Amino acid sequence: LPTPGTVEFKNVTFGYPGAEAPVLSDISFTAKPGQTTAIIGSTGAGKTTLLNLIPRLYDATEGEILIGGVPLKDLGRDTISRNISAVPQRPYLFSGTIASNLRFGAQEATEEELWEALRVAQAEGFVAEREGQLDSKISQGGTNVSGGQRQRLCIARALAAKPNTYLFDDSFSALDVNTDAKLRAALAEPTKDAAVIIVAQRVSTITGADQILVLDHGEIVARGTHEQLLETSETYQEIVAS
Ligand code: CTP
Ligand code: MG
């Protein structure tokens, strides 16, 4: 990419094919490298849909998305996948070793780099305890590890790829509050030059974000830091209180 991955949405509207009403309306924001942009909002607000537009799982119906100033449609699929790590809401592990799962998207990563990614993702301990460690087997869908472990392995996979844009879709909610806090503190260093976009359920996950977008029925109804939103947004106050 020409420049580190600034992600810019310009008046983006999106509707699923065949649906009458758009799911996202007139979304504009800029997620800058070195900053965390958080998205919060009730279930069905359009958070996952918004994230999915960035790696082009779908294309915007109207408006434009740019990365590093280049419209998404002018970036090749390869460039997009090399530069963006997305941890989906229901992260997926496939049948194979832990190492092969982590190297998906990071084929050249050394064992040392995999361990470093696991350390940041707070997954080093349970992998070290497994027989075979990096070579231990994961069953199809990751059914032989817990939901929280699956989530952390998928975060480690995202880190191993060393992208310049990270998308975390509700990736911290299966973690206890302590692990969530430790993981986010550990993320600061490896993501310091990247644009980080986090969808969160828990307000505590995003209080430190550089900007928070409050999404409601597909629209950004408020934006600002945690402190600013506490003052200005009733919707945000309701989320905090809930
Ligand atoms: N939707 C749809 N077709 C899809 C996915 C979603 O019509 N393939 C609709 C959903 O029914 C919802 C809206 O799009 O009305 C937004 O969905 P989504 O982006 O998944 O909402 P989230 O904010 O991510 O909800 P959650 O917190 O439950 O993950
Ligand atoms: Mg979602």
Side-chain angles (χ1 to χ4, degrees), residues 75-116:
L75 292 167
R77 296 265 169 197
D78 272 9
T79 310
I80 291 175
S81 63
R82 256 188 291 114
N83 285 282
I84 298 175
S85 275
V87 181
Q89 193 163 13
R90 276 172 224 85
Y92 193 75
L93 295 173
F94 52 81
S95 156
T97 62
I98 288 189
S100 64
N101 268 280
L102 296 181
R103 284 204 178 100
F104 185 78
Q107 284 87 341
E108 284 99 64
T110 63
E111 290 211 346
E112 198 180 321
E113 287 170 322
L114 297 185
W115 281 112
E116 176 56 19

Side-chain angles (χ1 to χ4, degrees), residues 110-141:
T110 63
E111 290 211 346
E112 198 180 321
E113 287 170 322
L114 297 185
W115 281 112
E116 176 56 19
L118 289 168
R119 191 188 61 73
V120 172
Q122 310 299 304
E124 186 186 29
F126 77 80
V127 174
E129 281 168 18
R130 286 174 76 91
E131 188 165 339
Q133 301 193 330
L134 287 175
D135 294 326
S136 77
K137 293 271 185 289
I138 296 290
S139 52
Q140 183 71 26

Side-chain angles (χ1 to χ4, degrees), residues 16 19 23 41-50 58 89 169 201 215:
Y16 283 100
V23 169
S42 53
T43 181
K47 306 179 295 297
T48 295
T49 305
L50 189 160
Y58 305 100
Q89 193 163 13
D169 193 350
Q201 295 286 342
L215 203 61

Side-chain angles (χ1 to χ4, degrees), residues 29-47:
F29 69 91
T30 303
K32 292 185 184 146
Q35 294 199 348
T36 297
T37 297
I39 302 169
I40 201 161
S42 53
T43 181
K47 306 179 295 297

Side-chain angles (χ1 to χ4, degrees), residues 65-226:
I65 301 169
L66 305 100
I67 297 188
V70 182
L72 269 187
K73 59 181 183 334
D74 297 339
L75 292 167
R77 296 265 169 197
D78 272 9
T79 310
I80 291 175
S81 63
R82 256 188 291 114
N83 285 282
I84 298 175
S85 275
V87 181
Q89 193 163 13
R90 276 172 224 85
Y92 193 75
L93 295 173
F94 52 81
S95 156
T97 62
I98 288 189
S100 64
N101 268 280
L102 296 181
R103 284 204 178 100
F104 185 78
Q107 284 87 341
E108 284 99 64
T110 63
E111 290 211 346
E112 198 180 321
E113 287 170 322
L114 297 185
W115 281 112
E116 176 56 19
L118 289 168
R119 191 188 61 73
V120 172
Q122 310 299 304
E124 186 186 29
F126 77 80
V127 174
E129 281 168 18
R130 286 174 76 91
E131 188 165 339
Q133 301 193 330
L134 287 175
D135 294 326
S136 77
K137 293 271 185 289
I138 296 290
S139 52
Q140 183 71 26
T143 49
N144 62 339
V145 294
S146 76
Q149 291 173 339
R150 196 150 59 226
Q151 231 167 0
R152 280 176 282 163
L153 288 174
C154 289
I155 292 167
R157 172 196 282 162
L159 287 159
K162 300 196 167 107
N164 55 25
T165 303
Y166 288 90
L167 310 177
F168 294 110
D169 193 350
D170 205 10
S171 305
F172 309 102
S173 59
L175 310 175
D176 62 80
V177 175
N178 244 333
T179 308
D180 177 5
K182 273 201 227 159
L183 203 164
R184 281 178 297 102
L187 274 178
E189 168 59 29
T191 65
K192 68 181 187 324
D193 298 319
V196 178
I197 306 181
I198 294 182
V199 166
Q201 295 286 342
R202 264 201 297 259
V203 171
S204 68
T205 303
I206 56 151
T207 46
D210 297 284
Q211 69 172 332
I212 300 168
L213 311 174
V214 183
L215 203 61
D216 190 25
H217 292 94
E219 289 178 37
I220 297 177
V221 295
R223 68 180 77 206
T225 62
H226 174 69

